[in-house]
Amino acid sequence: MRATHAAASTSDPDAFEAAVRPHYANLVRRLVLVLGDERDAEDIAQDAYLKAFRSWARFDGADVRAWLYTIALRLAFNHLRGRRRWLAAIGRVEPTPWTDPADPDLWAALAALDSRTRAALLLNVVDGYTQAEIATMLAVPEGTVASWISRGRATLRRELDPDR
């Protein structure tokens, strides 16, 4: 994407749209897994795209997908913290997360992971990011990401194959 960004004017909305549009559906899917709610995921994805558009002129052009995921995941984690604080303040419990009926065991196992572990695991396994790239996205040390991924895999193994 570097060539697309470098060749286009940083104020060109068409260049921005061409660079980021292909990533929207996958970003929403990842956010659903992190947030547990499809509507919240769509809202956060839209907020992330707006924030990305506003900072398009400062984007270095290195990896559009990683840049968008970084923005969106940080917004998602902030949203989760705010939601937990709000629910605690009004004395309510966390709503039941959205699930995919195609594989309820997998969804239940993923839901058992905390949001950062789930995000790190999915970014690594599904999206192919390295631990170093994920550490940069989530603004944590690489060792923390390695720990989250390892712990997430162990939890999924245990939940999905209890005879192991």
Side-chain angles (χ1 to χ4, degrees):
M1 284 294 164
R2 181 178 287 279
T4 302
H5 184 265
S9 165
T10 56
S11 62
D12 181 4
D14 293 332
F16 172 79
E17 185 175 346
V20 300
R21 177 178 283 242
H23 305 291
Y24 185 79
N26 285 333
L27 178 63
V28 170
R29 280 194 285 277
R30 294 311 162 263
L31 289 171
V32 167
L33 294 172
V34 171
L35 296 167
D37 184 89
E38 193 169 13
R39 281 187 234 149
D40 284 350
E42 290 169 352
D43 288 346
I44 296 297
Q46 290 172 11
D47 289 347
Y49 270 63
L50 179 59
K51 192 169 186 160
F53 180 74
R54 288 179 176 157
S55 60
W56 180 242
R58 295 185 308 275
F59 174 57
D60 68 4
D63 184 346
V64 171
R65 186 177 70 154
W67 179 62
L68 285 170
Y69 278 39
T70 299
I71 294 168
L73 287 169
R74 289 181 181 169
L75 289 171
F77 295 140
N78 289 340
H79 176 79
L80 287 171
R81 276 191 298 277
R83 183 167 68 188
R84 279 191 297 270
R85 281 194 297 267
W86 171 248
L87 290 171
I90 63 171
R92 306 253 345 240
V93 295
E94 189 78 21
T96 305
W98 175 85
T99 61
D100 184 345
D103 192 344
D105 293 336
L106 175 59
W107 286 95
L110 285 169
L113 302 174
D114 69 87
S115 61
R116 289 186 181 253
T117 299
R118 186 170 48 246
L121 184 63
L122 292 170
L123 287 168
N124 180 252
V125 174
V126 177
D127 296 313
Y129 285 107
T130 66
Q131 291 176 7
E133 291 168 327
I134 297 166
T136 300
M137 287 179 184
L138 302 181
V140 297
E142 190 173 341
T144 301
V145 172
S147 174
W148 286 341
I149 291 171
S150 176
R151 189 174 33 237
R153 286 181 176 162
T155 300
L156 290 179
R157 270 192 233 93
R158 191 173 51 255
E159 294 291 320
L160 297 173
D161 188 10
D163 297 331
R164 244 182 156 193

mmCIF file of all heavy atoms in Angstrom, residues 102-135:
data_model
loop_
_atom_site.group_PDB
_atom_site.id
_atom_site.type_symbol
_atom_site.label_atom_id
_atom_site.label_comp_id
_atom_site.label_asym_id
_atom_site.label_seq_id
_atom_site.Cartn_x
_atom_site.Cartn_y
_atom_site.Cartn_z
ATOM 1 N N ALA A 102 -22.610 -21.683 13.985
ATOM 2 C CA ALA A 102 -21.937 -22.695 13.177
ATOM 3 C C ALA A 102 -21.004 -23.571 14.010
ATOM 4 O O ALA A 102 -20.857 -24.747 13.739
ATOM 5 C CB ALA A 102 -21.155 -22.034 12.043
ATOM 6 N N ASP A 103 -20.361 -23.018 15.004
ATOM 7 C CA ASP A 103 -19.456 -23.785 15.865
ATOM 8 C C ASP A 103 -19.530 -23.226 17.283
ATOM 9 O O ASP A 103 -18.650 -22.498 17.726
ATOM 10 C CB ASP A 103 -18.027 -23.720 15.328
ATOM 11 C CG ASP A 103 -17.109 -24.725 16.000
ATOM 12 O OD1 ASP A 103 -17.485 -25.259 17.072
ATOM 13 O OD2 ASP A 103 -16.019 -24.971 15.471
ATOM 14 N N PRO A 104 -20.596 -23.579 18.001
ATOM 15 C CA PRO A 104 -20.787 -22.991 19.327
ATOM 16 C C PRO A 104 -19.669 -23.326 20.312
ATOM 17 O O PRO A 104 -19.362 -22.520 21.191
ATOM 18 C CB PRO A 104 -22.128 -23.555 19.792
ATOM 19 C CG PRO A 104 -22.419 -24.700 18.893
ATOM 20 C CD PRO A 104 -21.652 -24.492 17.629
ATOM 21 N N ASP A 105 -19.037 -24.489 20.181
ATOM 22 C CA ASP A 105 -17.944 -24.833 21.093
ATOM 23 C C ASP A 105 -16.754 -23.900 20.905
ATOM 24 O O ASP A 105 -16.141 -23.459 21.870
ATOM 25 C CB ASP A 105 -17.514 -26.291 20.902
ATOM 26 C CG ASP A 105 -18.588 -27.281 21.319
ATOM 27 O OD1 ASP A 105 -19.448 -26.907 22.145
ATOM 28 O OD2 ASP A 105 -18.574 -28.415 20.811
ATOM 29 N N LEU A 106 -16.420 -23.627 19.644
ATOM 30 C CA LEU A 106 -15.318 -22.708 19.360
ATOM 31 C C LEU A 106 -15.643 -21.312 19.887
ATOM 32 O O LEU A 106 -14.810 -20.673 20.525
ATOM 33 C CB LEU A 106 -15.021 -22.652 17.865
ATOM 34 C CG LEU A 106 -13.967 -21.628 17.431
ATOM 35 C CD1 LEU A 106 -12.627 -21.900 18.107
ATOM 36 C CD2 LEU A 106 -13.830 -21.614 15.928
ATOM 37 N N TRP A 107 -16.850 -20.851 19.659
ATOM 38 C CA TRP A 107 -17.239 -19.524 20.110
ATOM 39 C C TRP A 107 -17.225 -19.439 21.627
ATOM 40 O O TRP A 107 -16.816 -18.432 22.194
ATOM 41 C CB TRP A 107 -18.596 -19.130 19.542
ATOM 42 C CG TRP A 107 -18.460 -18.803 18.094
ATOM 43 C CD1 TRP A 107 -18.667 -19.650 17.045
ATOM 44 C CD2 TRP A 107 -18.015 -17.579 17.528
ATOM 45 N NE1 TRP A 107 -18.395 -19.022 15.861
ATOM 46 C CE2 TRP A 107 -17.996 -17.746 16.120
ATOM 47 C CE3 TRP A 107 -17.656 -16.363 18.061
ATOM 48 C CZ2 TRP A 107 -17.621 -16.720 15.260
ATOM 49 C CZ3 TRP A 107 -17.277 -15.344 17.192
ATOM 50 C CH2 TRP A 107 -17.265 -15.531 15.814
ATOM 51 N N ALA A 108 -17.671 -20.490 22.274
ATOM 52 C CA ALA A 108 -17.652 -20.502 23.742
ATOM 53 C C ALA A 108 -16.214 -20.463 24.250
ATOM 54 O O ALA A 108 -15.900 -19.767 25.213
ATOM 55 C CB ALA A 108 -18.381 -21.727 24.274
ATOM 56 N N ALA A 109 -15.332 -21.227 23.595
ATOM 57 C CA ALA A 109 -13.927 -21.247 24.010
ATOM 58 C C ALA A 109 -13.282 -19.881 23.775
ATOM 59 O O ALA A 109 -12.512 -19.397 24.612
ATOM 60 C CB ALA A 109 -13.171 -22.340 23.263
ATOM 61 N N LEU A 110 -13.580 -19.254 22.641
ATOM 62 C CA LEU A 110 -13.044 -17.917 22.376
ATOM 63 C C LEU A 110 -13.586 -16.901 23.378
ATOM 64 O O LEU A 110 -12.868 -16.017 23.833
ATOM 65 C CB LEU A 110 -13.373 -17.473 20.947
ATOM 66 C CG LEU A 110 -12.538 -18.124 19.849
ATOM 67 C CD1 LEU A 110 -13.136 -17.818 18.480
ATOM 68 C CD2 LEU A 110 -11.092 -17.681 19.915
ATOM 69 N N ALA A 111 -14.858 -17.048 23.736
ATOM 70 C CA ALA A 111 -15.466 -16.133 24.699
ATOM 71 C C ALA A 111 -14.831 -16.269 26.073
ATOM 72 O O ALA A 111 -14.831 -15.320 26.860
ATOM 73 C CB ALA A 111 -16.963 -16.369 24.785
ATOM 74 N N ALA A 112 -14.261 -17.438 26.366
ATOM 75 C CA ALA A 112 -13.617 -17.656 27.663
ATOM 76 C C ALA A 112 -12.299 -16.885 27.787
ATOM 77 O O ALA A 112 -11.811 -16.663 28.888
ATOM 78 C CB ALA A 112 -13.369 -19.150 27.888
ATOM 79 N N LEU A 113 -11.737 -16.481 26.654
ATOM 80 C CA LEU A 113 -10.480 -15.720 26.663
ATOM 81 C C LEU A 113 -10.767 -14.256 26.956
ATOM 82 O O LEU A 113 -11.789 -13.716 26.540
ATOM 83 C CB LEU A 113 -9.792 -15.828 25.297
ATOM 84 C CG LEU A 113 -9.446 -17.228 24.798
ATOM 85 C CD1 LEU A 113 -8.909 -17.147 23.369
ATOM 86 C CD2 LEU A 113 -8.456 -17.897 25.716
ATOM 87 N N ASP A 114 -9.831 -13.597 27.647
ATOM 88 C CA ASP A 114 -10.004 -12.151 27.819
ATOM 89 C C ASP A 114 -9.774 -11.480 26.462
ATOM 90 O O ASP A 114 -9.165 -12.058 25.564
ATOM 91 C CB ASP A 114 -9.057 -11.603 28.898
ATOM 92 C CG ASP A 114 -7.616 -11.648 28.476
ATOM 93 O OD1 ASP A 114 -7.159 -10.680 27.835
ATOM 94 O OD2 ASP A 114 -6.948 -12.654 28.777
ATOM 95 N N SER A 115 -10.274 -10.276 26.299
ATOM 96 C CA SER A 115 -10.289 -9.621 24.986
ATOM 97 C C SER A 115 -8.899 -9.423 24.388
ATOM 98 O O SER A 115 -8.708 -9.590 23.189
ATOM 99 C CB SER A 115 -11.027 -8.287 25.066
ATOM 100 O OG SER A 115 -10.395 -7.420 25.969
ATOM 101 N N ARG A 116 -7.904 -9.102 25.189
ATOM 102 C CA ARG A 116 -6.554 -8.892 24.638
ATOM 103 C C ARG A 116 -5.929 -10.208 24.191
ATOM 104 O O ARG A 116 -5.287 -10.263 23.153
ATOM 105 C CB ARG A 116 -5.671 -8.182 25.654
ATOM 106 C CG ARG A 116 -6.082 -6.734 25.823
ATOM 107 C CD ARG A 116 -5.122 -5.990 26.715
ATOM 108 N NE ARG A 116 -5.556 -4.632 26.867
ATOM 109 C CZ ARG A 116 -4.948 -3.592 26.275
ATOM 110 N NH1 ARG A 116 -3.903 -3.769 25.546
ATOM 111 N NH2 ARG A 116 -5.412 -2.382 26.452
ATOM 112 N N THR A 117 -6.141 -11.268 24.964
ATOM 113 C CA THR A 117 -5.624 -12.581 24.566
ATOM 114 C C THR A 117 -6.294 -13.032 23.276
ATOM 115 O O THR A 117 -5.642 -13.508 22.349
ATOM 116 C CB THR A 117 -5.861 -13.621 25.691
ATOM 117 O OG1 THR A 117 -5.168 -13.188 26.855
ATOM 118 C CG2 THR A 117 -5.386 -14.998 25.280
ATOM 119 N N ARG A 118 -7.609 -12.860 23.211
ATOM 120 C CA ARG A 118 -8.363 -13.251 22.018
ATOM 121 C C ARG A 118 -7.875 -12.452 20.809
ATOM 122 O O ARG A 118 -7.643 -13.003 19.738
ATOM 123 C CB ARG A 118 -9.856 -13.025 22.280
ATOM 124 C CG ARG A 118 -10.763 -13.514 21.192
ATOM 125 C CD ARG A 118 -12.242 -13.489 21.583
ATOM 126 N NE ARG A 118 -12.674 -12.246 22.184
ATOM 127 C CZ ARG A 118 -13.079 -12.122 23.448
ATOM 128 N NH1 ARG A 118 -13.125 -13.163 24.250
ATOM 129 N NH2 ARG A 118 -13.458 -10.947 23.920
ATOM 130 N N ALA A 119 -7.690 -11.141 20.973
ATOM 131 C CA ALA A 119 -7.232 -10.301 19.862
ATOM 132 C C ALA A 119 -5.838 -10.720 19.402
ATOM 133 O O ALA A 119 -5.599 -10.866 18.195
ATOM 134 C CB ALA A 119 -7.228 -8.836 20.283
ATOM 135 N N ALA A 120 -4.918 -10.925 20.328
ATOM 136 C CA ALA A 120 -3.554 -11.316 19.961
ATOM 137 C C ALA A 120 -3.550 -12.658 19.238
ATOM 138 O O ALA A 120 -2.873 -12.829 18.214
ATOM 139 C CB ALA A 120 -2.669 -11.385 21.205
ATOM 140 N N LEU A 121 -4.314 -13.601 19.751
ATOM 141 C CA LEU A 121 -4.377 -14.933 19.141
ATOM 142 C C LEU A 121 -4.943 -14.859 17.728
ATOM 143 O O LEU A 121 -4.382 -15.439 16.793
ATOM 144 C CB LEU A 121 -5.219 -15.862 20.017
ATOM 145 C CG LEU A 121 -5.307 -17.307 19.584
ATOM 146 C CD1 LEU A 121 -3.927 -17.968 19.625
ATOM 147 C CD2 LEU A 121 -6.268 -18.071 20.487
ATOM 148 N N LEU A 122 -6.027 -14.129 17.542
ATOM 149 C CA LEU A 122 -6.641 -14.019 16.215
ATOM 150 C C LEU A 122 -5.754 -13.262 15.236
ATOM 151 O O LEU A 122 -5.651 -13.632 14.066
ATOM 152 C CB LEU A 122 -8.011 -13.364 16.325
ATOM 153 C CG LEU A 122 -9.060 -14.200 17.045
ATOM 154 C CD1 LEU A 122 -10.305 -13.378 17.324
ATOM 155 C CD2 LEU A 122 -9.393 -15.450 16.266
ATOM 156 N N LEU A 123 -5.116 -12.195 15.706
ATOM 157 C CA LEU A 123 -4.213 -11.454 14.828
ATOM 158 C C LEU A 123 -3.058 -12.332 14.368
ATOM 159 O O LEU A 123 -2.604 -12.233 13.230
ATOM 160 C CB LEU A 123 -3.676 -10.212 15.535
ATOM 161 C CG LEU A 123 -4.675 -9.064 15.704
ATOM 162 C CD1 LEU A 123 -4.128 -8.024 16.662
ATOM 163 C CD2 LEU A 123 -5.006 -8.439 14.356
ATOM 164 N N ASN A 124 -2.601 -13.222 15.231
ATOM 165 C CA ASN A 124 -1.500 -14.114 14.889
ATOM 166 C C ASN A 124 -1.964 -15.274 14.017
ATOM 167 O O ASN A 124 -1.439 -15.491 12.927
ATOM 168 C CB ASN A 124 -0.843 -14.623 16.169
ATOM 169 C CG ASN A 124 0.314 -15.546 15.903
ATOM 170 O OD1 ASN A 124 0.189 -16.739 16.138
ATOM 171 N ND2 ASN A 124 1.427 -15.009 15.425
ATOM 172 N N VAL A 125 -2.963 -15.997 14.474
ATOM 173 C CA VAL A 125 -3.367 -17.235 13.800
ATOM 174 C C VAL A 125 -4.185 -16.965 12.541
ATOM 175 O O VAL A 125 -3.931 -17.564 11.493
ATOM 176 C CB VAL A 125 -4.163 -18.139 14.772
ATOM 177 C CG1 VAL A 125 -4.722 -19.346 14.069
ATOM 178 C CG2 VAL A 125 -3.283 -18.549 15.938
ATOM 179 N N VAL A 126 -5.148 -16.063 12.627
ATOM 180 C CA VAL A 126 -6.039 -15.830 11.496
ATOM 181 C C VAL A 126 -5.449 -14.833 10.507
ATOM 182 O O VAL A 126 -5.480 -15.047 9.295
ATOM 183 C CB VAL A 126 -7.430 -15.359 11.983
ATOM 184 C CG1 VAL A 126 -8.339 -15.037 10.811
ATOM 185 C CG2 VAL A 126 -8.065 -16.407 12.883
ATOM 186 N N ASP A 127 -4.876 -13.750 11.026
ATOM 187 C CA ASP A 127 -4.395 -12.687 10.141
ATOM 188 C C ASP A 127 -2.918 -12.779 9.800
ATOM 189 O O ASP A 127 -2.443 -12.050 8.932
ATOM 190 C CB ASP A 127 -4.695 -11.323 10.762
ATOM 191 C CG ASP A 127 -6.190 -11.092 10.884
ATOM 192 O OD1 ASP A 127 -6.906 -11.347 9.901
ATOM 193 O OD2 ASP A 127 -6.641 -10.673 11.959
ATOM 194 N N GLY A 128 -2.174 -13.636 10.496
ATOM 195 C CA GLY A 128 -0.786 -13.869 10.144
ATOM 196 C C GLY A 128 0.212 -12.831 10.618
ATOM 197 O O GLY A 128 1.352 -12.803 10.137
ATOM 198 N N TYR A 129 -0.155 -11.980 11.551
ATOM 199 C CA TYR A 129 0.793 -11.002 12.070
ATOM 200 C C TYR A 129 1.784 -11.685 13.011
ATOM 201 O O TYR A 129 1.444 -12.628 13.715
ATOM 202 C CB TYR A 129 0.073 -9.876 12.824
ATOM 203 C CG TYR A 129 -0.618 -8.907 11.899
ATOM 204 C CD1 TYR A 129 -1.992 -8.907 11.778
ATOM 205 C CD2 TYR A 129 0.114 -8.000 11.142
ATOM 206 C CE1 TYR A 129 -2.625 -8.020 10.917
ATOM 207 C CE2 TYR A 129 -0.513 -7.117 10.285
ATOM 208 C CZ TYR A 129 -1.878 -7.130 10.182
ATOM 209 O OH TYR A 129 -2.498 -6.259 9.335
ATOM 210 N N THR A 130 3.001 -11.176 13.016
ATOM 211 C CA THR A 130 4.014 -11.704 13.924
ATOM 212 C C THR A 130 3.771 -11.143 15.321
ATOM 213 O O THR A 130 3.043 -10.164 15.493
ATOM 214 C CB THR A 130 5.434 -11.289 13.486
ATOM 215 O OG1 THR A 130 5.556 -9.867 13.620
ATOM 216 C CG2 THR A 130 5.736 -11.724 12.055
ATOM 217 N N GLN A 131 4.421 -11.745 16.292
ATOM 218 C CA GLN A 131 4.281 -11.261 17.665
ATOM 219 C C GLN A 131 4.798 -9.827 17.791
ATOM 220 O O GLN A 131 4.225 -9.013 18.513
ATOM 221 C CB GLN A 131 5.000 -12.200 18.624
ATOM 222 C CG GLN A 131 4.311 -13.538 18.723
ATOM 223 C CD GLN A 131 5.041 -14.538 19.592
ATOM 224 O OE1 GLN A 131 6.027 -14.210 20.238
ATOM 225 N NE2 GLN A 131 4.553 -15.772 19.604
ATOM 226 N N ALA A 132 5.859 -9.513 17.077
ATOM 227 C CA ALA A 132 6.401 -8.148 17.116
ATOM 228 C C ALA A 132 5.399 -7.149 16.540
ATOM 229 O O ALA A 132 5.211 -6.056 17.096
ATOM 230 C CB ALA A 132 7.719 -8.083 16.346
ATOM 231 N N GLU A 133 4.742 -7.505 15.433
ATOM 232 C CA GLU A 133 3.754 -6.613 14.834
ATOM 233 C C GLU A 133 2.555 -6.416 15.770
ATOM 234 O O GLU A 133 2.053 -5.307 15.922
ATOM 235 C CB GLU A 133 3.282 -7.169 13.491
ATOM 236 C CG GLU A 133 4.349 -7.130 12.412
ATOM 237 C CD GLU A 133 3.998 -7.932 11.171
ATOM 238 O OE1 GLU A 133 3.316 -8.978 11.291
ATOM 239 O OE2 GLU A 133 4.405 -7.514 10.069
ATOM 240 N N ILE A 134 2.121 -7.494 16.398
ATOM 241 C CA ILE A 134 0.989 -7.412 17.326
ATOM 242 C C ILE A 134 1.366 -6.562 18.529
ATOM 243 O O ILE A 134 0.568 -5.756 19.007
ATOM 244 C CB ILE A 134 0.523 -8.822 17.746
ATOM 245 C CG1 ILE A 134 0.012 -9.591 16.531
ATOM 246 C CG2 ILE A 134 -0.558 -8.746 18.823
ATOM 247 C CD1 ILE A 134 -0.167 -11.079 16.761
ATOM 248 N N ALA A 135 2.586 -6.724 19.015
ATOM 249 C CA ALA A 135 3.049 -5.919 20.153
ATOM 250 C C ALA A 135 2.986 -4.436 19.809
ATOM 251 O O ALA A 135 2.558 -3.617 20.635
ATOM 252 C CB ALA A 135 4.466 -6.330 20.538
#
